[in-house]
Amino acid sequence: MTETLVSAGDRVGVAGTGRLGRTVAERLARDLDVVHLTPGGAGAAELSAAVVVEDGPGTGAPPAEVGKAARWLPVRVELGTVVIGPVVVDGVPGCPTCVRLRAVKARPDAQDRLRARRMYPERYEADETRITAFGAGVVAELIAAEVRGGETGRVLHVKLGSLDVSVHRFLPEPYCPDCGRLPDDGEEAAVVVLRPRPKPDPGVYRVRDLRAETDALTANYVDVETGMIRGVQRTVYSTYPTIAAPMGLSETDDQTEMGFGRELDFHTAQVTAIAEALERYAGTRPGGKRTVVRGSYRELADRALDPKSLGLYPDSRYDVPGFPFTRYHDDLVVPWVWGYSFRRGEPILVPECCAYYRLRSLDPTYRPFVYEISNGCAIGGCLEEAILHGILELAERDAFLLTWYARLPVRPLDLDSARDRRIPLMAERLRRITGAKAYAFDTTTEHGVPSVWAMAIRPGDDESLPKAVCAAASGFDPERAVANALLEIAPLVEWRAEGYADELPRVRRMLTNPDEVRSMHDHSLVNGHPAAFSRFSFLFDGDRTPMPIEESFAGAFRPRNDDLSVDLTATVARYLDRGQDVVVVDQTTPEQALGGFACVKVLIPGLLPMTFGHRARRIDGIPRLLETPHLLGYTEAPLRPEDVNTDPHPFP
């Protein structure tokens, strides 16, 4: 938004005693009534606006001098760069502190820069000898232009060595201590009211085509200096087009999240990566509201989701040395956030640690009672779309884990039968580039949502390369689900092969001691070893001829309505009719709302939660794991607890 700080003849304060500060004051004095701000001098209340120039150690005006100004423009010099902006308007989020927080998270070298500033402040801050008279004049003209009509939400960088100018946009930081205004989490805001959402086609389950919005998405969210996303990068794994969108998360260390786009063209992969990064951001911690409810389940049971229904750990697990989670009991006092229960038709409290998945890593003092990941987090062009895709992800992961834990002999799929002729070509390209043959299986469960398990298997038993890699997908178009699973698995084949030989000593330890499997990476590492291949025998034993894809999914649930909300209602009913609930926590932050997005976390008690680290698996309190294999006709009777597969799962 363009903001005019001043008009001709207005009184403007200028702080800054170095060469740049003096030059700016002289330039503005041509058109305005300029007051030199010094400690104890004119107050900001007497000014139309202020310009604060920090052009040397300690040369900026004290905050009190401009703290009450309705409009002001900060200027600072650091590491040979003049940073102009942002335009600060009273009551409008987006301030210098927001810029600093964004920059610390955006720059890969941010922590090194902070250390340099602490160790060598005289070198990090402005060196007035580097600001030439000519350079100061150029910068002063840029500052004058910003004062006359600059934009909020951006900063200008001027390199003193070359006078190159670049513009960097940023979004206000919701947790900014100076301008952040997050509302308290509340019951009323959690109510979900489904609205009509016309679709472009009955077989399409998105309401927007983000490919048409690439420029706007990039402008809003991607910037190497101040963006939520540092950049979009083509990866070195090239079986299919793959884009990574890295995003810094913390102001105190180098924690990052990645959005990935895996598609058949780089354009689609780019917007997918940006969208996934935004989705990851929403799921890390509450960013649209502040958590305010604390209590125990026993105190809140009449309006809360029972944590035990989401799967917990055996009580003995908490006695294992180093186990990082708090022992759960119904009197345990924890933070809660508001969600919405479709079964109850009303808001419901959800444990915060089950709704957001990086609370512990962002705050080492936080002690959740379970390990949670992004499972069930989804982004959409509207709330209904986000909820629908959150359900699909839960269906995918649940189907995969059910197949593994119960060793279900699921149907193999004939990839050559696909009507979409790109699918067999994708499998052939994977074989030619990596040497691995692609397989797919129909893992659809009792809910009928089409789900697929994909595998890539290398011939032979070369210990220096992973023999098998797995992935999964779910969606109402079974062939699209198959294609998505192949897109997921291709970069994993190449990635896991890279450096696999160096990991062999640790892989061998994980083969004999499952508790050594502690990260997402470890799950596919250990199950990729040739000695672990027998664990997949339940998928290949017997003479099972691959089934045509269309035939295998003939009885699956495949809504094809003109309205996405109708699809969602029908999908939710698949779970409610089986005695389950669908619970939605709206995770949308101001940043996503700006782009017209909604983000949610969907929880469906009774589905198997995806976790990483073998000790962190959560299957206690989920009787469906024992009952469903019999319900689906795979076993003659429900499983016994001792029948459950005890090997670490191979996802992703």
Side-chain angles (χ1 to χ4, degrees):
M1 179 175 67
T2 300
E3 285 285 349
T4 302
L5 271 68
V6 295
S7 302
D10 281 351
R11 196 176 196 210
V12 176
V14 177
T17 58
R19 168 174 281 169
L20 182 56
R22 295 192 301 270
T23 305
V24 169
E26 292 169 2
R27 171 62 187 86
L28 294 179
R30 299 179 198 169
D31 312 306
L32 303 165
D33 179 11
V34 171
V35 175
H36 293 275
L37 293 178
T38 57
E46 304 172 23
L47 304 172
S48 299
V51 179
V52 179
V53 183
E54 297 183 64
D55 53 0
T59 60
E65 294 296 313
V66 294
K68 296 181 181 179
R71 293 174 172 80
W72 63 287
L73 181 74
V75 180
R76 70 182 188 277
V77 184
E78 57 183 38
L79 293 181
T81 300
V82 181
V83 181
I84 304 172
V87 172
V88 181
V89 179
D90 188 36
V92 177
C95 70
T97 303
C98 291
V99 175
R100 180 183 63 79
L101 293 172
R102 292 292 184 198
V104 167
K105 290 186 284 189
R107 293 186 61 93
D109 63 348
Q111 299 306 315
D112 292 333
R113 291 164 69 98
L114 290 175
R115 282 189 288 271
R117 185 169 198 164
R118 289 193 296 267
M119 294 172 66
Y120 309 106
E122 73 285 353
R123 300 182 190 179
Y124 188 92
E125 294 178 339
D127 179 357
E128 188 172 346
T129 62
R130 297 195 61 185
I131 305 175
T132 65
F134 180 76
V138 171
V139 172
E141 288 294 337
L142 291 170
I143 292 171
E146 286 296 286
V147 170
R148 289 194 300 268
E151 292 184 25
T152 57
R154 76 173 189 182
V155 292
L156 278 60
H157 284 195
V158 185
K159 297 292 185 183
L160 287 173
S162 62
L163 296 182
D164 287 340
V165 181
S166 57
V167 178
H168 303 280
R169 301 188 181 279
F170 73 96
L171 296 176
E173 168 60 61
Y175 276 91
C176 176
D178 294 333
C179 70
R181 295 178 177 86
L182 283 181
D184 289 345
D185 187 20
E187 186 173 357
E188 293 182 2
V191 175
V192 172
V193 179
L194 301 184
R195 293 178 172 82
R197 302 292 184 184
K199 301 192 304 186
D201 182 89
V204 173
Y205 300 95
R206 297 282 187 186
V207 296
R208 289 163 63 183
D209 183 355
L210 294 185
R211 292 173 298 181
E213 303 178 34
T214 306
D215 291 344
L217 286 172
T218 304
N220 282 337
Y221 299 112
V222 182
D223 190 281
V224 69
E225 294 284 349
T226 56
M228 285 182 62
I229 299 168
R230 294 172 178 172
V232 288
Q233 309 159 354
R234 295 189 180 192
T235 74
V236 297
Y237 309 111
S238 57
T239 304
Y240 311 127
T242 304
I243 295 285
M247 177 176 54
L249 293 178
S250 174
E251 298 92 37
T252 58
D253 56 35
D254 297 321
Q255 290 186 58
T256 59
E257 269 283 7
M258 283 281 192
F260 284 103
R262 306 173 182 92
E263 300 287 349
L264 292 178
D265 66 272
F266 281 108
H267 184 188
T268 307
Q270 177 173 328
V271 297
T272 302
I274 293 172
E276 184 171 274
L278 295 176
E279 174 190 298
R280 295 286 187 265
Y281 174 80
T284 58
R285 65 172 181 175
K289 51 215 171 186
R290 296 185 186 276
T291 301
V292 294
V293 178
R294 288 184 63 85
S296 69
Y297 177 67
R298 193 178 306 279
E299 295 169 327
L300 304 170
D302 61 328
R303 51 188 178 135
L305 177 65
D306 186 352
K308 299 186 293 297
S309 69
L310 299 174
L312 296 175
Y313 308 118
D315 192 64
S316 60
R317 190 84 51 87
Y318 297 98
D319 297 324
V320 176
F323 193 65
F325 304 102
T326 298
R327 177 180 266 107
Y328 177 78
H329 51 84
D330 284 346
D331 292 310
L332 180 67
V333 175
V334 298
W336 300 77
V337 297
W338 282 102
Y340 182 80
S341 163
F342 276 93
R343 171 161 293 282
R344 299 188 187 193
E346 63 183 11
I348 188 173
L349 285 166
V350 176
E352 184 186 46
C353 65
C354 297
Y356 296 91
Y357 69 95
R358 291 204 67 148
L359 297 167
R360 179 168 163 261
S361 61
L362 293 172
D363 178 3
T365 66
Y366 195 95
R367 293 278 296 178
F369 58 82
V370 291
Y371 170 74
E372 187 61 58
I373 66 167
S374 63
N375 194 34
C377 293
I379 189 170
C382 60
L383 185 64
E384 293 80 2
E385 181 184 313
I387 296 171
L388 183 63
H389 286 270
I391 294 173
L392 289 175
E393 180 167 278
L394 291 177
E396 166 201 313
R397 309 294 176 77
D398 171 75
F400 186 96
L401 291 176
L402 183 67
T403 301
W404 177 258
Y405 288 142
R407 297 187 181 93
L408 301 182
V410 290
R411 288 189 298 271
L413 299 172
D414 179 6
L415 298 181
D416 286 336
S417 71
R419 292 174 299 173
D420 183 348
R421 300 311 298 160
R422 294 175 297 180
I423 289 176
L425 292 176
M426 291 169 68
E428 177 61 15
R429 178 175 174 83
L430 179 67
R431 186 191 66 79
R432 291 196 181 191
I433 291 178
T434 69
K437 183 177 179 179
Y439 295 83
F441 303 87
D442 179 356
T443 56
T444 304
T445 70
E446 75 274 26
H447 303 101
V449 177
S451 300
V452 174
W453 174 319
M455 286 187 73
I457 302 175
R458 280 191 173 90
D461 292 322
D462 182 354
E463 193 183 34
S464 67
L465 291 171
K467 181 177 178 64
V469 178
C470 301
S474 184
F476 298 125
D477 180 343
E479 289 199 357
R480 180 60 188 171
V482 170
N484 284 344
L486 294 177
L487 288 170
E488 289 282 335
I489 207 170
L492 293 174
V493 174
E494 297 178 87
W495 180 26
R496 296 298 186 256
E498 188 175 276
Y500 193 80
D502 297 333
E503 299 268 19
L504 278 176
R506 196 162 64 87
V507 171
R508 294 182 187 124
R509 291 197 301 272
M510 290 190 289
L511 282 168
T512 57
N513 183 4
D515 283 351
E516 290 288 322
V517 178
R518 296 176 180 173
S519 70
M520 180 172 66
H521 187 58
D522 290 348
H523 283 267
S524 53
L525 278 182
V526 66
N527 286 294
H529 193 277
F533 190 66
S534 60
R535 298 176 179 180
F536 299 101
S537 60
F538 66 90
L539 294 172
F540 298 98
D541 283 349
D543 183 18
R544 288 180 289 146
T545 303
M547 184 176 291
I549 296 173
E550 185 65 26
E551 183 179 342
S552 184
F553 291 97
F557 173 61
R558 300 167 66 177
R560 293 180 61 85
N561 299 290
D562 294 325
D563 190 311
L564 192 73
S565 290
V566 178
D567 292 340
L568 173 59
T569 299
T571 304
V572 169
R574 306 289 294 190
Y575 295 88
L576 301 187
D577 290 348
R578 288 160 179 79
Q580 294 175 275
D581 196 359
V582 176
V583 177
V584 176
V585 175
D586 188 347
Q587 298 177 329
T588 310
T589 72
E591 297 99 326
Q592 284 116 21
L594 174 73
F597 295 109
C599 288
V600 300
K601 167 79 169 186
V602 180
L603 301 106
I604 301 181
L607 296 194
L608 291 162
M610 180 62 70
T611 57
F612 299 110
H614 189 58
R615 290 191 305 179
R617 73 174 187 168
R618 291 159 45 197
I619 59 175
D620 278 36
I622 304 182
R624 180 175 158 275
L625 168 59
L626 306 179
E627 298 163 358
T628 303
H630 177 58
L631 176 67
L632 294 174
Y634 288 111
T635 61
E636 294 182 357
L639 299 182
R640 299 164 300 173
E642 57 267 30
D643 296 327
V644 175
N645 191 345
T646 58
D647 292 321
H649 69 71
F651 189 95

